[in-house]
Amino acid sequence: MVTGVYVLCALTSLACAVQLLRVYRAGRVSLLLWTALCFCGLAANNIIMLLDVVLELDMTVWRKLPALAGVVLLLHGLISDSR
Amino acid sequence: MNQLLLGALAMAFFVIAMFFVRFFARTADRFFAFLGTAFAIMSINQVVLGILGEDSEYHSWVYLLRLAAFVLILIGIYDKNRR
């Protein structure tokens, strides 16, 4: 159950990233690209979290960095688009 | 360092949610409502993780919030593609 939640988070965030990239390729709306890149970062965060739990490492700080990079990219995209 | 990153992520998610809420208010496009809600949930997720701590026995339960956010986005993408 515990590991299952982390597996599902990793899979769903990866699915979000892939689906958003597909929708971006169809419509070429830049906001979708920034959102897709954000979810790539969140997916990386969730995958590292899963590895952290399964392999019993301690990557508490390191696993948050891809998520932070993703949200910074999305914020950049949102601020650029709102001008 | 971990608390700093949690706080930064919580704030970033919240700001992103506000952007999407504004887009929804302007365009009445449900997709933005789904995204705004999902990012608001992710912001709450980070706050709860910050309060409980990484070693909490409820850590995996809190990740159900994150899973709910990703599922909401997948529903939003499906709903957008259907229209």
Side-chain angles (χ1 to χ4, degrees):
Chain A
M1 164 68 187
V2 170
T3 315
V5 172
Y6 300 129
V7 169
L8 283 172
C9 281
L11 289 175
T12 50
S13 56
L14 208 53
C16 286
V18 166
Q19 288 298 322
L20 284 164
L21 281 169
R22 284 178 62 191
V23 176
Y24 166 71
R25 278 178 62 189
R28 296 284 169 182
V29 175
S30 62
L31 183 59
L32 287 170
L33 176 62
W34 294 116
T35 311
L37 291 174
C38 175
F39 276 92
C40 289
L42 294 177
N45 167 240
N46 287 319
I47 289 166
I48 296 171
M49 173 78 210
L50 180 60
L51 291 174
D52 206 358
V53 167
V54 168
L55 301 174
E56 292 180 7
L57 308 166
D58 182 21
M59 301 182 71
T60 310
V61 171
W62 294 105
R63 67 183 185 229
K64 290 183 176 58
L65 295 179
L68 195 62
V71 296
V72 165
L73 280 174
L74 180 52
L75 277 171
H76 165 74
L78 287 167
I79 293 165
S80 302
D81 276 358
S82 68
R83 286 193 193 144
Chain B
M1 181 68 171
N2 187 48
Q3 294 295 94
L4 171 69
L5 291 174
L6 278 172
L9 282 169
M11 195 63 205
F13 284 135
F14 180 73
V15 170
I16 290 167
M18 290 299 101
F19 267 105
F20 283 122
V21 165
R22 190 172 74 165
F23 291 152
F24 172 67
R26 279 187 193 166
T27 64
D29 186 344
R30 275 204 307 260
F31 184 58
F32 293 128
F34 280 109
L35 282 173
T37 309
F39 278 102
I41 292 171
M42 284 193 262
S43 179
I44 292 167
N45 175 243
Q46 295 300 317
V47 170
V48 172
L49 281 173
I51 292 169
L52 287 178
E54 293 285 337
D55 297 327
S56 167
E57 61 189 272
Y58 300 110
H59 191 256
S60 56
W61 292 104
V62 176
Y63 268 74
L64 285 175
L65 269 176
R66 184 179 289 200
L67 181 62
F70 292 135
V71 168
L72 201 58
I73 290 170
L74 286 173
I75 291 170
I77 294 168
Y78 173 74
D79 179 63
K80 179 89 174 166
N81 286 338
R82 210 165 48 100
R83 282 186 272 138

